[in-house]
Amino acid sequence: MRRLLARRMKFHLFGAFFVSIGCAALYKFGVAEPRKRAYAEYYKNYDAMKDFEAMKAAGVFECAPPK
Amino acid sequence: MLASRAFSLVGRRSICTSLCLRAHGHAGVVKADDFSLPAYVDRRDVPLPEVAFVRDLSAQQKALKEKEKASWTALSIDEKVELYRMKFNETYAEMNKGTNEWKTVLGGVLFFLGVSGIILIWQKHFMYGPIPHTFSEEWLSAQTKRMLDMRVNPVEGISSQWDFEKNEWKK
């Protein structure tokens, strides 16, 4: 009964702090970093013209038909 | 605004009551309703409620209350417990004890989810018409081929799962 609110509030303040920090860290290292790495990997050896020729050959361009 | 109006109503009622009292000479005493008197409450943050739990004491309990006015060392354990129970409804341990209500709540939630599921199944079977032709196998495969040709989402999405050299899905 003694310091009922203070005890509860301290517990919940700590908890909220660590839970939010944990969520942020989880997102950063579970989602954000892999995504940045994926993009870096993809564009490291990216050849735009080769990609364009492949798409053109497949026939998806209206103004650049595959001929 | 509403609160001030309510207050004025109460004021008028209490003035009328006191005037009536003076007029009839204590013949028309208004009985206070139970909900307007101080109430007993079992709460963690209210250790000493405004009234005792037992309001109308039996003769035996009245005798015990008289005995309480003397030295407390003369009381037996049972008498002390009896006095406690007269003053309080539940002990703190009883009050804070958890219930099994969560089982009822969970059961009710799952039950109604099941009912909704049955309704949905019935609807799909008896009510809805056929789905659009764009969901057929041929259409979907042609659609996926066009997405791959366009290199849709090549970094993390569908085109990243297709091996363009071997012309098959990546393992």
Side-chain angles (χ1 to χ4, degrees):
Chain A
M1 182 75 188
R2 191 161 285 196
R3 288 181 30 235
L4 195 69
L5 176 68
R7 201 163 26 97
R8 179 190 161 84
M9 191 174 269
K10 186 160 74 170
F11 173 78
H12 280 89
L13 275 172
F14 270 117
F17 181 75
F18 284 118
V19 164
S20 44
I21 294 275
C23 286
L26 219 68
Y27 183 84
K28 181 175 170 70
F29 294 110
V31 176
E33 287 302 315
R35 191 169 285 170
K36 284 195 270 188
R37 250 180 290 126
Y39 271 84
E41 285 298 316
Y42 182 77
Y43 283 111
K44 194 159 60 174
N45 303 318
Y46 181 60
D47 187 0
M49 284 316 296
K50 181 165 145 233
D51 221 22
F52 169 72
E53 294 300 333
M55 284 197 260
K56 184 169 167 208
V60 292
F61 290 129
E62 205 179 297
C63 304
K67 216 179 317 103
Chain B
M1 196 188 82
L2 244 74
S4 62
R5 275 194 169 185
F7 268 147
S8 64
L9 277 171
V10 167
R12 241 176 268 138
R13 267 187 68 207
S14 59
I15 288 170
C16 174
T17 309
S18 54
L19 282 174
C20 292
L21 274 175
R22 245 173 267 135
H24 298 273
H26 303 288
V29 175
V30 179
K31 186 173 186 308
D33 296 309
D34 263 341
F35 51 79
S36 61
L37 293 171
Y40 176 84
V41 49
D42 268 328
R43 275 179 63 111
R44 255 172 76 204
D45 48 359
V46 180
L48 289 172
E50 291 162 336
V51 288
F53 177 54
V54 177
R55 200 169 43 165
D56 310 308
L57 302 170
S58 71
Q60 193 185 10
Q61 286 171 326
K62 282 199 183 117
L64 188 55
K65 273 294 195 189
E66 288 300 319
K67 194 173 174 196
E68 194 193 14
K69 292 178 185 169
S71 166
W72 286 342
T73 52
L75 295 168
S76 73
I77 300 283
D78 290 327
E79 285 173 334
K80 287 177 189 168
V81 172
E82 174 65 24
L83 281 167
Y84 181 89
R85 287 293 173 185
M86 275 163 37
K87 199 159 170 72
F88 300 105
N89 182 17
E90 288 180 317
T91 66
Y92 258 71
E94 288 166 6
M95 197 201 309
N96 294 336
K97 189 175 57 179
T99 65
N100 280 331
E101 191 189 2
W102 68 272
K103 296 177 191 169
T104 311
V105 169
L106 191 67
V109 165
L110 292 174
F111 173 76
F112 281 108
L113 280 175
V115 167
S116 309
I118 288 180
I119 291 175
L120 287 172
I121 291 170
W122 183 92
Q123 283 180 324
K124 178 78 186 101
H125 196 268
F126 288 109
M127 193 185 84
Y128 287 123
I131 56 173
H133 64 100
T134 54
F135 284 100
S136 67
E137 277 298 319
E138 307 85 41
W139 193 284
L140 283 178
S141 51
Q143 178 177 298
T144 316
K145 175 161 173 30
R146 189 173 153 78
M147 281 168 71
L148 292 170
D149 288 340
M150 287 195 288
R151 307 292 193 272
V152 169
N153 286 338
V155 184
E156 278 191 323
I158 188 166
S159 301
S160 70
Q161 306 292 332
W162 179 261
D163 192 340
F164 284 100
E165 272 90 56
K166 288 190 226 150
N167 239 7
E168 60 185 8
W169 291 111
K170 283 183 186 165
K171 297 291 175 285

